[in-house]
Amino acid sequence: MAPKEVLISNDELIGQVLSALKEEDVPYTALLTAGAPSRVLRDVSGVAPGRVGRQLLQKPTPAPAQHPPVRYPLTGEPQILFWAQNFSVVQGSKWVDLTPQTFGAEASVDVSGSSWSSNESRLVLKYANVLGSPLTATWRFPVSGRYWFQLSRLELATPSASPTVFNASQVTAPSNYSWRCAYLSSLPGYGAGLLPHGAGPSPTWGVLLQDVQLQGFNVSGLQFSYASDCAGFFAPGTWMGLLTALLLGAIFACGLHVLLALKTMDRFDDPKGATIAVPQGE
């Protein structure tokens, strides 16, 4: 039976029972229960009372995994933090998800080759086996004279081939901030924020990072500083709306100016000429 038909049938049965008890004048207490709660509450400690709402027949959706960020050095006060919801590389048509090897308790990435100074941070991620060979991903963050850091290059290198180097001029933020973006990728479908370095052949590797956050300076504990988001202040839709409003406003102003410049005639004949005689019939 359909759920709607089951509910209608249950309602009729409850109505029949209550009617019979009312006719017999029998005092009763009814407890209506269900096999399972209609909604499973998950972590509502930060939600004000009355804000959860009522949603029937809802299946609980698992929260996304929140793994700790990669840090350098591994002991003591960290100086570099790197986090991403997903970190994947592609070679040809073969995709490799590096997220389990990079983040979490079972991470196997080696960051011992990283280095830090007040002028430049370098995060080196070494993977033992990616598509049959070791892979090294190197992130370089220099600091400019304006105390801003920038991801100058991202390099993917294997022992058997020349390295693939990407430039990322949009990855920039004040040195006391972190940088965060929904996507950082070399693929056109995800914004292509990573551009191949130089005018050589097409890159061997491709990179895709989802919900990525980086900080190479002024790290305090395992918490990122205030994030400088990659999204611009004006989205394309905002610019389209502003330009359309300006165009319509200019058309309205021109039309209003033309209407105000119109002058009506104050006379309809020539006073120096002969007057117009209109004969009247008898």
Side-chain angles (χ1 to χ4, degrees):
M1 299 177 64
K4 182 178 180 180
E5 297 177 357
V6 173
L7 293 175
I8 293 176
S9 176
N10 292 341
D11 186 65
E12 292 177 353
L13 292 175
I14 293 174
Q16 293 175 5
V17 173
L18 296 180
S19 298
L21 293 175
K22 188 178 295 184
E23 291 177 357
E24 298 293 335
D25 197 16
V26 177
Y28 65 90
T29 300
L31 298 177
L32 306 180
T33 62
S38 60
R39 175 177 173 83
V40 179
L41 299 180
R42 309 183 315 274
D43 190 17
V44 295
S45 58
V47 181
R51 290 295 186 88
V52 176
R54 181 185 180 187
Q55 300 183 13
L56 299 177
L57 303 178
Q58 179 186 7
K59 295 182 180 180
T61 56
Q66 296 294 332
H67 38 252
V70 172
R71 53 171 293 180
Y72 172 80
L74 297 178
T75 58
E77 189 71 17
Q79 297 168 329
I80 305 174
L81 293 179
F82 165 58
W83 187 90
Q85 185 66 39
N86 179 272
F87 179 25
S88 301
V89 294
V90 59
Q91 186 181 40
S93 60
K94 298 179 181 179
W95 281 89
V96 179
D97 186 4
L98 299 179
T99 309
Q101 304 180 48
T102 308
F103 309 99
E106 300 180 359
S108 59
V109 65
D110 181 13
V111 298
S112 60
S114 305
S115 61
W116 184 90
S117 68
S118 58
N119 297 323
E120 184 182 66
S121 294
R122 187 173 66 170
L123 178 63
V124 180
L125 306 177
K126 296 181 179 180
Y127 301 91
N129 186 2
V130 177
L131 295 178
S133 64
L135 176 66
T136 302
T138 304
W139 310 70
R140 295 183 60 183
F141 307 95
V143 174
S144 66
R146 299 176 300 143
Y147 297 101
W148 282 56
F149 77 87
Q150 181 182 11
L151 178 60
S152 62
R153 60 191 295 163
L154 169 59
E155 179 179 312
L156 300 177
T158 57
S160 59
S162 58
T164 300
V165 182
F166 298 100
N167 294 333
S169 58
Q170 69 170 2
V171 183
T172 179
S175 59
N176 56 341
Y177 284 13
S178 63
W179 181 87
R180 187 167 187 175
C181 194
Y183 289 100
L184 178 62
S185 173
S186 62
L187 308 177
Y190 297 92
L194 297 175
L195 302 177
H197 178 71
S202 59
T204 307
W205 293 90
V207 183
L208 172 61
L209 294 109
Q210 180 181 359
D211 195 8
V212 58
Q213 189 165 5
L214 301 163
Q215 185 172 355
F217 302 93
N218 298 306
V219 177
S220 178
L222 285 176
Q223 298 293 329
F224 286 97
S225 301
Y226 180 83
S228 176
D229 199 270
C230 65
F233 185 77
F234 288 103
T238 306
W239 281 114
M240 292 176 62
L242 289 175
L243 293 177
T244 303
L246 289 175
L247 179 61
L248 294 177
I251 295 174
F252 175 78
C254 291
L256 183 61
H257 176 73
V258 171
L259 290 176
L260 294 177
L262 290 177
K263 295 182 179 180
T264 59
M265 297 178 60
D266 56 353
R267 58 185 63 187
F268 299 92
D269 57 356
D270 187 3
K272 297 182 179 180
T275 59
I276 300 176
V278 181
Q280 298 180 355
E282 296 180 358

